[in-house]
């Protein structure tokens, strides 16, 4: 097994990496096989053999060590997994063992970072033969991921082979990618279509693209939700408006922490708060005007080379009026001049203020080294033997700057995606919030897990914690109408569509787009009244295969964020169906416990904890006879992650459990429902066993007589 952080081959049986100290994933928490959608990256040094032919091995080793360390570092920076290091290249995976919503984008950014890193190393080490270069191939698709031969975690499939062949075909210094990678990243990167490539081992030419670079102003994934009106949220907007009024009246800061699952609309809510702070009138129901309030808005990045304390640095840039991109960065004298003019204007960081504050701000902006003991040096705020005053100097300087701005005019500070912030950023932000003075309203937005990982922030300045709920009732219906261009669906169809989306605007937008693309959602013109044209939903179109590419990625990331036991139970539930009768989860867990030799009592406790976790995260909810998925979308995402061979076994186990002579409780089913349940799971077990060609005596095939009966 290799370390998921640095890629170092682990000592057998070790719990921590001997190179970087990261915790190693235990074999028990990594499945033997699971299906995943990943982006695979291959990077190979060109002409490596001819370059090293006449060189001393020590020279070759020194150069390749530097190159491979740079490549592995780029993978780590962007949240990928180093699968293999070879003598002249690297294989990395984005999306396994942990999925993110933007794995393809991470792989693209890592590829560009690798090219820059290799050029720097080779510029230093050039000589002794033909110059080297890096070829990179990227490909996105389905793989089987897991522990192979009980030794190492890896991914297998045609997606991997194609990525390797794309790297072979790439020009030196270039990045080639398959169609799915290109399509998934067009909002952040520019691509040039190549003529279909004839790749070794592929029967047909492969569609391929060359990466030209990142877009100067990355867009968002195109979708219906981009232009939709802002609906609902009157209660939440009213709460923010009330807190802003209190801040202005009392001249004291307040902190609000808003949490919501992916797709609920945190960023859209933040944008609406900006309009509120500016006194924007929205239609007939205008917000209370708070003229003169200044808004500073920043976002935490989930990956990248400048994550450490980046949100605080971005706050300072916004406050001082500095450009955010490196291409237009100002010189240090220009920044010092802006700070000086600001000091003169606000009178808070002028001649009478301690000079350390300005120095700390300059260091935070990258114009000087951060002092010893700063969080960026320690990795976790407050460690070491430094005095607290020295450790907190950077966030204190940021707090003083924000307080000074608030002395001029009320200030609204928005920090979005706080769940992606580093530990040191969370700690530094907490220090800054505890020091801010004056009329400052701070709105922090992030996922629900933020309350667990950043609990300290909720105790700062009497911070309030609120959840941004899904859209319900008339609000959800209004949003659907806007997605349909003002048209209407028959009420039963609209109800089914809204129930599937469960009040999540992103889910709803992706569903509508997917159904339109498939021709299952079509416009029906009313010749007598064109303005009242409606829509029709094809029968059975909400049954299965409802996950678009982006929606699948979002749900996979939610599932991977679960503890291992809860993730396993969710997948068990997905095998059972949209509804999960009492006893079904116990039967599946007991069957595996019997194979593992674990005590039934231990398994029961673990199951209870896992189910409670899923209920708290609103992935399942209780019913009169058991449990049910909050949305079939979550069930489909969880089901798609299980290997077909394992699915066949689980379906067969459910059929045995529910059979008339099985262990299902007599009152759990009517006779008709029991027959249907057994027949369905036997049929699925048989189809999956055929798909992966299981042996005739495999357990999944032995339930065929139950299905016949």
């Amino acid at each position: 097994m290799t370390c998921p952080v640095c890629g170092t081959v682990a000592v057998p049986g070790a719990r921590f990496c001997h190179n970087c100290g990261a915790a190693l994933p235990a074999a028990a928490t990594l499945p033997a096989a699971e299906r995943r959608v990943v982006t695979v990256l291959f990077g190979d040094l060109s002409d490596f053999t001819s370059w090293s032919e006449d060189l001393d091995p020590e020279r070759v080793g020194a150069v390749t060590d530097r190159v491979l360390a740079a490549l592995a570092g780029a993978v780590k920076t962007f949240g990928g997994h180093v699968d293999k290091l070879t003598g002249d290249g690297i294989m990395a995976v984005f999306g396994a063992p942990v999925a993110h919503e933007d794995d393809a984008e991470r792989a693209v950014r890592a590829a560009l970072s690798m090219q820059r890193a290799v050029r720097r190393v080779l510029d230093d080490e050039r000589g002794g033969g033909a110059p080297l270069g890096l070829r990179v191939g990227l490909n996105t698709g389905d793989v089987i991921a897991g522990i192979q031969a009980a030794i190492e975690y890896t991914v297998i499939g045609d997606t991997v082979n194609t990525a390797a062949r794309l790297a072979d075909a790439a020009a030196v210094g270039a990045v080639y990618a398959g169609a799915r990678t290109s399509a998934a990243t067009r909002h952040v990167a520019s691509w040039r279509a190549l003529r279909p490539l004839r790749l070794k081992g592929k029967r047909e030419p492969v569609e391929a693209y060359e990466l030209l670079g990142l877009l100067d102003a990355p867009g968002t994934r195109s979708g219906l939700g981009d232009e939709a009106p802002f609906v609902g949220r009157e209660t939440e907007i009213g709460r923010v408006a009330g807190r802003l009024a209190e801040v202005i009246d009392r001249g004291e800061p307040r902190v609000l922490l808003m949490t919501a699952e992916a797709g609920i609309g945190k960023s859209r809510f933040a944008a609406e708060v900006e309009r509120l702070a500016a006194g924007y009138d929205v239609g007939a129901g205008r917000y209370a005007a708070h003229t003169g309030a200044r808004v500073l808005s920043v976002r935490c990045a989930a990956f990248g080379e400048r994550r450490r304390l980046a949100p605080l640095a971005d706050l300072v840039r916004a406050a001082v009026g500095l450009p955010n991109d490196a291409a237009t960065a100002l010189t240090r004298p220009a920044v010092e001049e802006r700070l000086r003019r600001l000091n003169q204007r606000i009178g808070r960081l002028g001649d009478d203020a301690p000079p350390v504050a300005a120095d700390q701000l300059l260091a935070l902006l990258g114009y000087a080294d951060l002092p010893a003991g700063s969080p960026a040096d320690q990795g976790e705020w407050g460690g070491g033997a430094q005095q607290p005053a020295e450790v907190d100097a950077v966030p204190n300087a940021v707090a003083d700057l924000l307080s000074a701005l608030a002395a001029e005019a009320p200030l609204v500070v928005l920090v979005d995606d706080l769940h992606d912030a580093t530990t040191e950023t969370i700690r530094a932000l907490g220090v800054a919030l505890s020091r801010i003075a004056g009329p400052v309203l701070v709105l922090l937005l992030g996922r629900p897990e933020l309350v667990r990982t950043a609990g300290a922030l909720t105790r700062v300045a009497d911070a309030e914690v609120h959840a941004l709920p899904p859209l319900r009732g008339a609000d959800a219906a209004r949003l659907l109408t806007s997605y349909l261009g003002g048209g209407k669906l028959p009420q039963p169809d609209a109800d089914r569509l809204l129930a599937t989306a469960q009040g999540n605007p992103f889910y709803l937008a992706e569903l509508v787009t997917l159904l339109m693309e498939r021709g299952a959602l079509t416009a029906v013109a009313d010749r007598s009244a064109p303005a009242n044209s409606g829509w029709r939903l094809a029968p059975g179109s909400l049954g299965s295969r409802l996950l678009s590419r982006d929606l699948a990625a979002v749900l996979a990331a939610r599932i991977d964020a679960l503890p291992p036991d809860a993730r396993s139970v969710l997948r068990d539930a997905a095998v059972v169906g949209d509804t999960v009768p009492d006893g079904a989860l116990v039967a599946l867990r007991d069957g595996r416990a019997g194979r593992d030799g674990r005590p039934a009592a231990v398994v029961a406790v673990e199951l209870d904890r896992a189910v409670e976790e899923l209920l708290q995260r609103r992935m399942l909810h209780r019913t009169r006879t058991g449990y049910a998925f909050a949305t079939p979308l979550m069930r489909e995402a969880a089901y798609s992650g299980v290997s077909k061979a394992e699915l066949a076994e689980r379906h067969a186990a459910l059929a045995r459990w529910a059979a008339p002579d099985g262990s299902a409780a007599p009152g759990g089913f009517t006779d008709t429902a029991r027959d249907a349940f057994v027949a369905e799971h036997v049929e699925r077990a048989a189809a999956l066993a055929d798909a992966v060609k299981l042996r005739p005596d495999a357990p999944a095939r032995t339930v065929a007589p139950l299905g016949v009966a």
Side-chain angles (χ1 to χ4, degrees):
M1 182 183 297
T2 57
C3 173
V5 175
C6 70
T8 303
V9 177
V11 175
R15 295 171 56 199
F16 299 93
C17 175
H18 64 275
N19 177 52
C20 69
L24 296 173
T29 66
L30 290 175
E34 59 180 350
R35 300 180 70 91
R36 285 183 172 271
V37 176
V38 303
T39 299
V40 180
L41 180 154
F42 270 89
D44 291 311
L45 290 175
S46 65
D47 301 319
F48 176 79
T49 302
S50 60
W51 174 81
S52 61
E53 185 176 9
D54 298 324
L55 293 180
D56 187 277
E58 291 188 21
R59 164 75 169 156
V60 175
V63 176
T64 54
D65 276 355
R66 287 194 62 190
V67 170
L68 294 178
L71 299 183
V75 174
K76 173 186 174 182
T77 296
F78 291 95
H81 166 70
V82 176
D83 191 288
K84 293 178 181 64
L85 288 174
T86 62
D88 59 352
I90 189 172
M91 172 185 165
V93 182
F94 295 80
V98 177
H100 306 93
E101 299 165 19
D102 47 11
D103 282 308
E105 177 185 343
R106 291 167 181 256
V108 168
R109 293 183 181 275
L112 286 175
S113 179
M114 287 178 175
Q115 293 287 16
R116 291 193 298 268
V118 167
R119 282 194 293 270
R120 286 195 297 267
V121 172
L122 297 182
D123 284 344
D124 293 341
E125 300 284 354
R126 194 177 300 278
L132 302 179
L134 187 69
R135 309 173 191 264
V136 178
L138 298 171
N139 196 36
T140 302
D142 299 323
V143 298
I144 287 293
I147 302 293
Q148 188 178 36
I151 297 175
E152 185 174 35
Y153 185 90
T154 189
V155 298
I156 300 171
D158 183 65
T159 298
V160 180
N161 304 333
T162 302
R165 299 308 179 200
L166 286 169
D168 293 339
V172 176
V175 178
Y176 283 10
R180 288 184 67 174
T181 306
S182 170
T185 57
R186 290 195 180 278
H187 62 293
V188 296
S190 176
W191 298 91
R192 178 173 70 89
L194 304 170
R195 285 187 296 182
L197 300 177
R198 289 278 183 184
L199 301 180
K200 182 179 178 181
K202 304 291 291 184
R203 287 189 297 270
E204 300 293 334
V206 174
E207 186 179 350
Y209 298 82
E210 181 180 1
L211 179 62
L212 301 180
L214 298 176
L215 299 178
D216 292 335
T220 58
R221 295 181 178 88
S222 59
L224 289 173
D226 296 340
E227 303 300 328
F230 186 76
V231 300
R233 311 300 187 205
E234 287 84 1
T235 299
E236 292 76 20
I237 284 289
R239 179 180 293 117
V240 174
R243 298 301 178 269
L244 182 55
E246 292 176 9
V247 162
I248 294 173
D249 291 343
R250 300 178 182 178
E252 297 175 352
R254 295 296 298 266
V255 180
L256 287 174
L257 177 61
M258 302 290 292
T259 67
E261 295 289 355
I264 289 293
K266 296 182 300 299
S267 298
R268 184 65 186 272
F269 183 78
E272 205 66 18
V273 170
E274 288 196 50
R275 300 166 75 187
L276 163 69
Y280 186 86
D281 290 340
V282 181
R286 66 172 58 90
Y287 293 143
H290 297 288
T291 55
R294 181 178 181 181
V295 180
L296 302 180
S297 180
V298 298
R299 183 184 299 271
C300 302
F303 54 80
E305 294 149 335
R306 52 175 296 274
R307 285 188 68 200
R308 296 187 304 178
L309 302 185
L312 271 72
D314 290 341
L315 275 176
V316 174
R317 288 190 182 91
V320 181
L322 301 178
N324 225 351
D325 58 301
T328 56
L330 303 180
T331 62
R332 173 168 176 155
V335 177
E336 289 177 329
E337 174 61 20
R338 292 203 179 195
L339 282 173
R340 187 185 65 79
R341 291 202 303 266
L342 180 64
N343 294 342
Q344 289 179 341
R345 191 176 83 243
I346 61 181
R348 293 292 295 271
L349 295 176
D351 295 337
D352 297 332
V356 65
D359 292 343
Q360 296 288 350
L361 294 179
L362 288 169
L364 179 62
L365 294 173
Y367 293 99
D369 292 333
L370 286 167
S374 71
D377 291 331
Q378 295 177 354
E380 187 167 333
W381 200 287
Q386 309 298 328
Q387 295 298 319
E390 297 174 352
V391 172
D392 295 346
V394 169
N396 284 343
V398 174
D400 290 343
L401 175 62
L402 297 179
S403 301
L405 292 176
E408 285 190 310
L411 186 64
V412 176
V413 177
L414 300 174
V415 183
D416 200 1
D417 290 338
L418 193 60
H419 53 274
D420 287 328
T422 62
T423 302
E424 57 194 313
T425 298
I426 294 289
R427 179 68 179 91
L429 187 59
V431 172
L433 294 182
S434 66
R435 184 181 175 94
I436 289 177
V440 183
L441 177 65
V442 181
L443 178 60
L444 310 173
L445 300 112
R447 303 280 167 79
E449 57 265 29
L450 176 63
V451 177
R452 305 183 187 187
T453 59
L457 289 179
T458 66
R459 298 189 294 273
V460 174
D462 296 324
E464 298 179 44
V465 182
H466 300 281
L468 201 60
L471 292 176
R472 298 298 185 192
D475 291 334
R478 285 170 55 201
L479 190 62
L480 175 58
T481 299
S482 73
Y483 287 166
L484 297 177
K488 296 283 188 179
L489 268 171
Q491 195 60 47
D493 290 342
D495 290 344
R496 284 194 294 272
L497 193 54
L498 292 173
T500 302
Q502 284 293 300
N504 187 303
F506 173 69
Y507 292 5
L508 183 60
E510 290 292 298
L511 274 172
V512 169
T513 301
L514 187 68
L515 292 170
M516 286 180 176
E517 290 174 350
R518 290 178 178 171
L521 184 60
T522 54
V524 181
D526 185 343
R527 295 181 180 179
S528 62
N532 296 327
S533 297
W535 291 78
R536 176 182 297 138
L537 186 64
S541 55
L542 291 178
S544 61
R545 297 194 310 113
L546 297 176
L547 296 184
S548 66
R549 180 193 66 227
D550 291 340
L551 184 50
V554 167
L555 292 175
R558 280 194 67 188
I559 292 170
D560 277 356
L562 290 169
D565 281 339
R567 184 164 62 246
S568 177
V569 170
L570 184 72
R571 288 176 171 164
D572 279 346
V575 178
V576 180
D578 288 332
T579 59
V580 184
D582 278 328
L585 295 177
V586 175
L588 288 174
R589 299 293 280 185
D590 284 349
R592 282 202 297 278
R595 296 200 301 269
D596 299 341
R598 289 188 299 158
V602 173
V603 173
V605 172
E606 292 175 349
L607 177 59
D608 289 343
R609 290 175 178 170
V611 169
E612 188 60 34
E613 182 78 22
L614 297 174
L615 293 172
Q616 288 182 4
R617 299 200 184 207
R618 298 180 182 177
M619 294 179 173
L620 296 178
H621 62 81
R622 296 185 190 276
T623 66
R624 187 172 56 83
T625 58
Y627 306 97
F629 276 87
T631 168
L633 301 173
M634 180 60 71
R635 187 220 168 182
E636 185 176 340
Y639 189 89
S640 66
V642 187
S643 70
K644 290 182 179 179
E646 182 63 26
L647 283 175
E649 285 197 17
R650 295 191 195 188
H651 281 298
L654 287 168
R656 283 190 290 268
W657 166 74
D661 58 349
S663 58
F669 294 99
T670 63
D671 289 342
T672 301
R674 183 191 296 271
D675 285 347
F677 188 93
V678 174
E680 177 187 358
H681 287 282
V682 170
E683 185 176 11
R684 292 200 177 196
L688 290 161
D690 288 342
V692 292
K693 294 180 169 53
L694 293 182
R695 295 170 47 181
D697 59 347
R701 295 192 184 276
T702 61
V703 295
L706 296 177
V708 174

